[in-house]
Amino acid sequence: MCVLHLMLQGFDPPHQSETRTIYVANRFPLHGHYIPTVTFSNGDVFQYTIWNFVPKNLFEQFRRIANFYFLIIFLVQLMIDTPTSPVTSGLPLFFVITVTSIKQGYEDWLRHKADNEVNGAPVYVVRSGSLVGDIVRVAKDETFPVDLVLLSSDRPDGTCHITTASLDGETNLKTHYSVAETSVCQSVSQLESLQAVVECQQPEADLYRFVGRMTVTLLGEEIVRPLGPENLLLRGARLKNTKEIFGVAVYTGMESKMALNYKCKSQKRSAVEKSMNSFLIIYLCILLFEAILSTILKYAWQSEEKWNEPFYNQKTEQERNSSPILKFISDFLAFLVLYNFIIPISLYVTVEMQKFLGSFFIGWDLDLYHEESDQKAQVNTSDLNEELGQVEYVFTDKTGTLTENEMHFRECSINGTKYREVNGKLVPEGLTDDSPDGSTPHMELLFLKAVALCHTVQISYDQPDCMVPGSDPFSHVNGFSANHMEYYASSPDEKALVEAAKRIGITFISSNGDTVEIKTFGKTEKFKLLHVLEFDPNRRRMSVILQTPSGGQIMFTKGAESAILPFATSGEMEKTRLHVDEFALKGLRTLVVACRHFSPEQYTEVDRRLNAARTALQQREEKLQEAFNFIERDLQLLGATGVEDKLQDKVQETIEALRLAGIKVWVLTGDKHETAVSVSLSCGHFHRTMNILELLQQRSDNECAEQLRRLARRIKEDHVIQHGLVVDGASLSLALREHEKLFMEVCKNCSAVLCCRMAPLQKAKVVRLIKTSPEKPITLAVGDGANDVSMIQEAHVGIGIMGKEGRQAVRNSDYAIARFKFLAKLLLVHGHFYYIRIATLVQYFFYKNVCFITPQFLYQFFCLFSQQTLYDSVYLTLYNICFTSLPILVYSLFEQLVHPHVLQSKPALYRDISRNSMLSFRTFLYWTLLGFCHAFVFFFGSYILMGEDTTLMGNGQMFGNWTFGTLVFTVMVITVTLKLALETHFWTWMNHFVTWGSIAFYFIFSLFYGGIIWPFLHTQDMYFVFVQLLSSGSAWFAIIIIIITCLFPDVIKKVFYRHLQPTNTQKSQVQLTNTHPYVNQSCPQAVCKECFWLFFCQLVEGKDYFLSIF
Amino acid sequence: MQKKENQEVENRPDNTAFTQQRLPAWQPILSAGIVIPLFVLVGLAFIGIGVALFVTSRNLHVLEVWKNNLLWLNMALYVFFSPQGPVFFYYGLTNYFQNQRAYGVSKDYNQLSGDLDYFTFFFSIVPDSTCKPYRYDVNNKPIVPCGSLANSMFNDTFNLYQMKNGVKEEVPLDGKGISWWTDYNIKYRNPSVNPLRNAFNGTVKPLYWSKPAYELDPTDTANNGFINQDFLVWMRRSALPNFRKLYRRITDGLPAGNYSLEISYNYPVIAFDGKKKVAFSNVSWMGGKNEFLGIAYLVIGSLCLVMSVVMLIIYAKFKFPEED
């Protein structure tokens, strides 16, 4: 995934200049011809093609330290005379590389598949240039093959509708516009004569940003038009309701915005992976130590002539004469090769398989499936599964995450009077329903018109299917009753407001290019839309400038009260402010509405400034800001609205569960402080009993520091009760600038923190602050909107809520769930499972490799450090890939220490695994020492048995060195497998199958391997060795006693710990078996069939398909 | 509307035991309640086995004779046990590292399996280069069997006499069946040339050998070449530096009495501080006398019992704080 960046550079040296210039149809030299149909080759979007898969994937894999290390070992084995053949490390390496590349190839295939529609379709190119600059024709329901600037459509106004569902999941129709001068070129011949130049930015990944301008030469005159995102048709989006369009390609292939978004989603590494790497380094040190020690001892030993070259083992002349330094180095390398298996080669591949296969369980979980929206949990990266079990801080967005983001208009304040909506009527406060129904006062009308006009809501009509293709959907407007009309808005607040206005009687019926129609109590009014001053999070307001039917120009503005009240000059400011605060206290979301009438001179000035800013190529955004600020002032305050956002289901329980699990929950929201606090209280984030501390509206550094110190003192005085902290964005940035430590101190002692008035980047900053604090806690951010993306990316784990605000959060998240309440199961159950599984997996891998190689090291003390292997090469090769690989993989997929229900009902169990407890240095030491102890028992048990030169066979014959090695190996395979069996708590039929199957396989394989004279082998050392071993009764007894000796202390240790220091997890295991022994009886055969099929189907069909036969 | 309904359940995960991680499972808990009876059982069983092994081993006898003096060519022995069944006659070496890597690989398996192609000099490819420095003699003639392992074959010979009323009576020693059956019958083969000596034309015997391979046993033609039993015994490398190798079987047993052992001392061991020994031992189903297994079983068995008592005490004292 990371290669993409490298490849990009080869494609187009980026950012030589800030803009690129595209000649439409490459019309610098004038020669017009066109090529009918061309298929764009967009293969570069993907990491691999069939042709480059092997070399590129190999290169990628050997960039990993572990793989590279084994490659080096392999090469050393090829080059010098080493004790084992190159096959012993080559084969496992080959196996690991193959499995990994199959996995990566499969993932890439999924990506290919997902994108096939875009890639496969032929494209009609009207006029060919060098891709960029081509004029492309796209027909209805086709996807755009490249990023295009719309030139014209079959509609007279040059607009078209598209859906960007495949890009950001937003299913609503979006209207895109063409420049007026080009929209007339509706045929190929007209396009022939078009002379235009597009200037735009260099490619960038942001889907919602595009700045450019088009210079059209018309009758010798150059006309400059601004281009924005509304002119750009993105690759991957689909043309709707429009017969055909023509566009000019601006970004193609790798440079298209969609392709740029295919970069490494997550560079995040989990805590487990970090400890895994440090363990690897320790093992590398052990390896080096053992190799150096052996080399030194070898020479110490050989300094005596009688050991160096006894008469029976003389050296060749060449060996005698070779340089001592060279010999020393080659001996060192040989020892390195001999002991190299202490680095678990298959660890990475097993971990990867575990993560990849294990992550299916999240998507499969019915408890994480949201029935109403038909959405299941989605895993975007499987690298972080276990991190879900380590979370210490949860940062959550409020709107759409804690709440439904389903807005309902409740109250409003118009010109200082509060109104409620009752049955589609506005009822002033204090009056009852039956108020005299007559004329609506002027201010009220203006307010409602403002609400109905100042927005970016779109209308979609339920069209009959037999609609004539290509006909304009909006031509039917007046023929449709309002019931068939549905509003689409990117902001749910706007939608709620427009719908409320409609209920009250002012219906927004159409917006067609530059006219907006509303129906005021049955009377249609047409407004000319002059300008839209779009919403942005910095200004926190938006405006429209309209020409009223009577001819005047008026601007309606709506936005956050802090963004409007300062600029208002008339109207009931004090009363409105009061009402806004009241709304906020009730937990309503508030917006303030204002207007401004322009005189003709004022409007000319406004128009000029806006156009200048919009066509600017450099610093357009700054210039626009300036213009907006110039326009949006001297406002006349009309009133305020209060919109209710319902809390999601079970938010309170979830937050409570997280808190019991030892997770601190922080709510970060852009809302007003009062709204935020009231929602916080209603969702259980703040308790009534909590002492709420406030850090609000700090204006200066000193003031802020003083307040922080005061808060710290209060916490110290009052440490019995819980504290909650409320901070607003402005105070936070002050606190973070100078008094980070003090602020952290206060935060850590608060059980709940609420940050309001936060800008998106501030959210990320808060996350980073906690993330980088000295304890380095694991953070999780959860949000649903584009404004949460930065926080989601910053946190260790980012969770997207599949809400109403598009898919941006989901696309940038690591995991996506439909509702906030699913977080509890995701963390408490899945996180717990994944963590214990992978932690044991990692520890066990190191353990089994210590067991494996230490006897070989010990054997060197008995063979003059001559690098004689203890085990046969085939055993060396297969130990990690056959004999001991499956039990741990199955364990790491299915292990459950406690039943999921218990985990969820007892969140405190989560604390048992917090702070990476199962991979602490102590547990690592335990496993490593255990490995060494077991290895000593294997080796010296066999040594005492065989070493004292007695025969072990009934016929008096003697065993040789290979029998000795095989005895140690047999004991080891069984012990290592049984050790895992001791660790296993959840024995499904698969665990039984692989555990006993592995041991059986070892026996069967050994009998087979030793039972044949293998024609291609150089020596037949192992011929009948295993059978001879098993024919000895003593050997059987020895095997049993050595295994028991190894495992018996472990069992005792487990029992003692369980009874003397039981963990909460162990306690709940006992309770569970006491209350209702959980043993499900069902037909094992059916289960077997079922799960193999499921894995198979998942692999074949990608993500979303299930065979319905089960 | 129908279409919509279908769509709604499209993404619904399957409700199966596998996908929901509810597979039927056995969930054992290693608690004292289970482990104590288990330990008692295992402990008792092990003590039983240990006693049996120990008694078996006690009934076996072994007589070891060290010979560290070059001059002892005749040794008087007094055997004061008269074991049942055949007695096995071993020779042993100490400080002898048959398990060195370079030594162990120094052989040519193709030669030893009777492939005549590997008997001749062929472009420095055969015999196997691992045989160095015992590959060719000074005249570039290939050595058969080549390599250090074969070259250093043990070549002392022993004769055992029973002293009956002052008369030496030779005890018959059986040299058959002292090597693995598979080594003798399958793994090692002589070239199918009759007489065998013709196969060795153009080759030389290993430097340290006094006789060529085809004349190792003048008394038995089937015991020559690569399937000579003594040779096979030697070629199976010992695992550790102090080892015994089976020399002969005394089928009729060894009644108590005075014996004389005659040794033709050829094999040098002084240079590497080695010692030689001979040992006579009878065997049971479990092999020769080996007290280790019996003791190990007894120790672990009693440990199991002791630990189960300790656990019982702990269990009684600190029962689970279940009400939590």
Side-chain angles (χ1 to χ4, degrees), chain A residues 449-491:
Chain A
K449 277 186 189 169
V451 167
L453 287 167
C454 176
H455 54 71
T456 53
V457 174
Q458 305 252 327
I459 307 176
S460 162
Y461 296 89
D462 266 341
Q463 295 156 9
D465 283 344
C466 58
M467 194 182 122
V468 188
S471 67
D472 191 334
F474 298 122
S475 58
H476 298 272
V477 165
N478 297 325
F480 277 89
S481 76
N483 289 342
H484 290 217
M485 200 162 68
E486 212 173 321
Y487 294 123
Y488 279 102
S490 46
S491 149

Side-chain angles (χ1 to χ4, degrees), chain B residues 63-262:
Chain B
L63 174 71
E64 278 196 350
V65 185
W66 294 88
K67 30 166 203 166
N68 36 14
N69 192 325
L70 252 181
L71 304 172
W72 279 19
L73 297 176
N74 257 305
M75 230 173 355
L77 295 176
Y78 179 71
V79 177
F80 47 86
F81 61 93
S82 49
Q84 307 285 309
V87 169
F88 293 82
F89 181 176
Y90 297 90
Y91 66 86
L93 294 171
T94 63
N95 267 340
Y96 192 102
F97 289 84
Q98 252 204 325
N99 55 11
Q100 284 185 78
R101 180 165 71 95
Y103 178 76
V105 297
S106 183
K107 63 186 178 208
D108 186 338
Y109 176 72
N110 290 309
Q111 263 187 6
L112 298 172
S113 61
D115 191 335
L116 277 176
D117 293 343
Y118 292 83
F119 280 46
T120 50
F121 176 84
F122 181 74
F123 295 118
S124 292
I125 296 170
V126 290
D128 200 308
S129 62
T130 53
C131 285
K132 278 181 210 167
Y134 305 104
R135 200 176 174 200
Y136 310 111
D137 73 346
V138 283
N139 303 320
N140 253 357
K141 279 192 172 175
I143 298 173
V144 179
C146 72
S148 314
L149 187 51
N151 184 56
S152 59
M153 185 179 152
F154 188 73
N155 56 359
D156 284 8
T157 53
F158 305 90
N159 287 307
L160 186 64
Y161 300 95
Q162 187 175 16
M163 307 300 285
K164 273 188 180 164
N165 311 322
V167 183
K168 270 168 112 179
E169 193 177 304
E170 183 159 8
V171 178
L173 300 176
D174 180 7
K176 283 200 181 105
I178 58 171
S179 69
W180 289 17
W181 188 90
T182 45
D183 284 356
Y184 182 75
N185 289 293
I186 299 165
K187 192 171 158 185
Y188 292 85
R189 314 273 351 117
N190 277 329
S192 41
V193 175
N194 216 0
L196 185 59
R197 67 178 309 144
N198 290 354
F200 289 80
N201 287 339
T203 68
V204 292
K205 66 177 169 52
L207 299 180
Y208 291 2
W209 286 23
S210 53
K211 292 178 279 188
Y214 49 87
E215 279 170 5
L216 283 174
D217 187 355
T219 59
D220 182 0
T221 49
N223 194 24
N224 273 317
F226 305 137
I227 57 167
N228 175 273
Q229 299 264 1
D230 289 321
F231 178 67
L232 293 177
V233 166
W234 184 255
M235 292 300 278
R236 183 150 296 277
R237 294 196 285 147
S238 65
L240 296 158
N242 300 339
F243 59 85
R244 265 190 218 167
K245 284 185 183 290
L246 185 54
Y247 182 65
R248 292 291 182 265
R249 287 193 305 160
I250 306 165
T251 334
D252 301 333
L254 210 56
N258 281 318
Y259 290 85
S260 164
L261 182 64
E262 216 177 83

Side-chain angles (χ1 to χ4, degrees), chain A residues 168-210:
Chain A
D168 55 11
E170 291 175 17
T171 48
N172 56 323
L173 295 182
K174 292 180 180 137
T175 313
H176 283 235
Y177 304 91
S178 60
V179 174
E181 282 70 27
T182 61
S183 63
V184 293
C185 308
Q186 287 174 327
S187 70
V188 173
S189 52
Q190 279 169 306
L191 284 166
E192 283 271 290
S193 55
L194 175 68
Q195 278 192 42
V197 179
V198 173
E199 284 172 90
C200 60
Q201 308 155 290
Q202 291 291 346
E204 65 166 321
D206 190 340
L207 294 180
Y208 307 97
R209 246 179 72 97
F210 178 70

Side-chain angles (χ1 to χ4, degrees), chain A residues 614-626:
Chain A
R614 284 200 201 273
T615 44
L617 256 194
Q618 306 289 331
Q619 293 156 344
R620 176 185 291 179
E621 265 143 52
E622 287 84 349
K623 285 180 184 160
L624 271 176
Q625 287 299 324
E626 229 170 82

Side-chain angles (χ1 to χ4, degrees), chain A residues 1-5 47 60 104 107 111 262-264:
Chain A
M1 289 137 254
C2 310
V3 223
L4 275 172
H5 306 300
Q47 204 179 348
E60 272 301 297
Q104 292 184 347
E107 282 178 344
R111 238 168 290 153
Y262 268 116
K263 62 187 160 199
C264 308

Side-chain angles (χ1 to χ4, degrees), chain A residues 227-248:
Chain A
L227 297 175
E230 70 279 359
N231 303 107
L232 187 69
L233 305 171
L234 294 178
R235 171 176 177 209
R238 194 179 284 275
L239 185 63
K240 288 281 181 193
N241 288 349
T242 313
K243 203 166 115 199
E244 61 169 19
I245 60 108
F246 293 100
V248 56

Side-chain angles (χ1 to χ4, degrees), chain A residues 485-506:
Chain A
M485 200 162 68
E486 212 173 321
Y487 294 123
Y488 279 102
S490 46
S491 149
D493 294 79
E494 282 192 340
K495 191 181 167 195
L497 289 175
V498 173
E499 279 170 348
K502 179 181 158 195
R503 283 196 299 272
I504 292 161
I506 300 188

